[in-house]
Amino acid sequence: MLLTISTTRIPATDLGYLLHKHPDRHQCFPMTFGQASVFYPESSAERCTAALLLDVDPVGLVRGKSKSGDRPLEQYVNDRPYVASSFLSVALAKVFSTALSGRCKDRPELAETPIPLTVNLSVLPCRGGEKFLREIFEPLGYQVAAKPLILDAQFPEWGASPYFAVELQNTIRLADLLSHLYVLIPVLDDEKHYWVGDDEIEKLFRHGEGWLNAHPAREQIADRYLKRQRRLTRIAVAQLAESDNIDPDSVEVSHQQEEEVLEQRISLNQQRLEAVMDVLKASNVKRVVDLGCGEGKLLQLLLKEKAIEQITGVDVSHRALEIAAERLQIERLSPAQQSRILLIQSSLIYRDSRLTDFDAAAVIEVIEHLDLDRLAAFERVLFEFIRPKSAIVTTPNIEYNVRFENLPAGKFRHRDHRFEWTRAEFQTWANGVAERFGFGVEFRCVGTEDLEVGSPTQMAIFTIRK
């Protein structure tokens, strides 16, 4: 299987810096299923082409495996050594790992620069045909040229082949191109050569970050990437839906710009965190989970409380968790401190077996980011499945918005909010939840209380009934 990447950006030999592979060297990389080789069939200032040749060992693929099954010949007669598949994705991740991560030690500015790139795939399976191929790549800005490959000219009755010789052109960062190929090649092939488990969701979101959540075929991509395992697909689709087509980096930035700047005059964010900490410390809790932990500001305060033995932060955004880890400086903590903190990527509307046995759950400015038709699923996750001894939920009080001078009438505090409730609406919801799931509930104000419109943030403290 041959893949080539070419550029005409002068000097084109900069491609060698980006790929961390010298144009004058032929390099080989052993793989568990064969061997990968990198070489440059052309290298000049005007045009440079890097080739990745994947030699899949057909005997090695079946060595030690059972030959039983409905179609045992498929172990020996198949297309795996000749086509672009998940084997190629694995090779890309191993051979071009530094380029895939977007790093270039010698030329860091080059790694961030979009350059004209052309990819050629000699044999690409397209389960779904050329139409699906275009639906996958064209929304990402690629010009797609696809040449159908016939099965056998001597046997036209065998029908059309699902294989194409494909050329993709785009002006793009090399790291983005490699991420697209890593995810989408197995999607087009609709097959993977290895077992797919929960960790594949993390891979999908890591390599799909910044583009997958905005892709019009994102659900099909997730379904095929996860080998149509319904449980995994449901979780992935839920996480994509919660991100609402917004890159997690942008969400973090816009949150700070639109909410924290808006509320800066009254230091509302700090008041919220202090109010939550006051409740937790008064309850003498030992195990706390922060659902929708974001960049980890509450986690940072929790870590300072020696009486709290276990702290878990949960967020749908992989990038948000990276920011939280940086804020907490987890790698620099002592082993004892590291054992107290755990960060988990998970959807808040699906049950997760890792989220059990907590004394308290904090849900700070989260529920307003959920679609109303998903709120019932979140209620079950929190109050039925996680079922902490207590839960603290805060949300904006929409009545107070008139006190923000820079907020236009009728607008929410953040563009990602699906709703903002009045005090009466919030209390009706909280009382209903408490009644259905066996909790008591107490309401508190966060921030200075206005006699006419109430406080800027409203808080509900749920306590499980004994």
Side-chain angles (χ1 to χ4, degrees), residues 144-432:
V144 179
K147 178 184 177 182
L149 301 177
I150 60 174
L151 281 174
D152 195 313
Q154 297 184 27
F155 300 96
E157 65 273 14
W158 287 1
S161 158
Y163 309 110
F164 291 79
V166 174
E167 181 177 274
L168 306 169
Q169 293 184 340
N170 201 354
T171 299
I172 190 173
R173 292 194 320 146
L174 178 64
D176 294 332
L177 178 138
L178 294 175
S179 294
H180 298 158
L181 295 176
Y182 179 90
V183 172
L184 297 179
I185 285 174
V187 167
L188 287 162
D189 183 37
D190 203 11
E191 183 56 74
K192 279 193 173 181
H193 69 277
Y194 56 87
W195 170 255
V196 170
D198 291 357
D199 59 337
E200 286 299 296
I201 297 178
E202 192 277 332
K203 288 183 185 178
L204 174 63
F205 276 82
R206 174 155 45 91
H207 293 292
E209 190 167 11
W211 62 269
L212 180 58
N213 52 357
H215 199 293
R218 65 185 189 179
E219 294 188 14
Q220 287 176 283
I221 292 171
D223 189 38
R224 288 190 175 206
Y225 185 87
L226 298 168
K227 290 187 73 171
R228 303 184 186 273
Q229 293 195 39
R230 292 183 180 180
R231 181 183 67 84
L232 299 180
T233 300
R234 284 199 303 268
I235 294 173
V237 170
Q239 293 181 8
L240 287 168
E242 287 185 21
S243 64
D244 189 41
N245 300 343
I246 301 171
D247 176 69
D249 291 329
S250 300
V251 171
E252 293 299 325
V253 172
S254 60
H255 242 294
Q256 294 172 3
Q257 291 179 340
E258 296 179 31
E259 285 191 280
E260 293 184 11
V261 171
L262 180 70
E263 300 169 347
Q264 186 175 16
R265 180 177 58 85
I266 56 176
S267 304
L268 185 55
N269 184 56
Q270 186 61 35
Q271 292 182 61
R272 270 195 297 263
L273 296 176
E274 291 174 357
V276 172
M277 289 301 300
D278 287 344
V279 174
L280 292 173
K281 287 188 285 188
S283 303
N284 297 315
V285 296
K286 302 295 184 183
R287 294 173 54 84
V288 179
V289 58
D290 184 4
L291 299 174
C293 65
E295 62 182 25
K297 292 182 178 179
L298 179 63
L299 300 178
Q300 193 172 34
L301 296 178
L302 291 169
L303 202 56
K304 295 178 181 179
E305 293 297 321
K306 296 181 179 179
I308 299 177
E309 299 173 356
Q310 183 60 52
I311 303 160
T312 300
V314 181
D315 205 280
V316 70
S317 166
H318 175 75
R319 178 56 183 153
L321 293 175
E322 286 184 337
I323 295 173
E326 293 170 3
R327 173 183 292 275
L328 298 170
Q329 297 184 316
I330 290 179
E331 293 183 355
R332 300 176 64 179
L333 295 176
S334 67
Q337 286 285 73
Q338 288 184 17
S339 68
R340 294 176 61 210
I341 185 78
L342 177 65
L343 300 180
I344 295 175
Q345 183 182 23
S346 186
S347 167
L348 301 185
I349 61 173
Y350 283 99
R351 182 178 182 177
D352 191 324
S353 60
R354 297 171 293 179
L355 302 178
T356 58
D357 192 27
F358 289 100
D359 297 322
V363 189
I364 312 305
E365 308 298 284
V366 169
I367 61 172
E368 63 272 12
H369 292 270
L370 301 175
D371 289 318
L372 284 170
D373 59 359
R374 295 179 179 269
L375 196 57
F378 168 75
E379 293 167 7
R380 292 197 63 195
V381 167
L382 175 58
F383 296 103
E384 182 178 340
F385 298 132
I386 299 178
R387 199 167 180 78
K389 295 176 183 177
S390 64
I392 307 166
V393 178
T394 74
T395 193
N397 167 22
I398 194 173
E399 296 171 79
Y400 193 91
N401 287 1
V402 297
R403 296 294 186 255
F404 293 112
E405 296 178 359
N406 297 326
L407 186 64
K411 294 291 185 180
F412 293 158
R413 297 185 198 178
H414 182 259
R415 58 188 170 88
D416 189 45
H417 287 183
R418 300 300 193 270
F419 61 86
E420 290 180 4
W421 278 334
T422 65
R423 288 167 289 174
E425 289 170 331
F426 180 57
Q427 291 180 20
T428 297
W429 171 80
N431 284 322

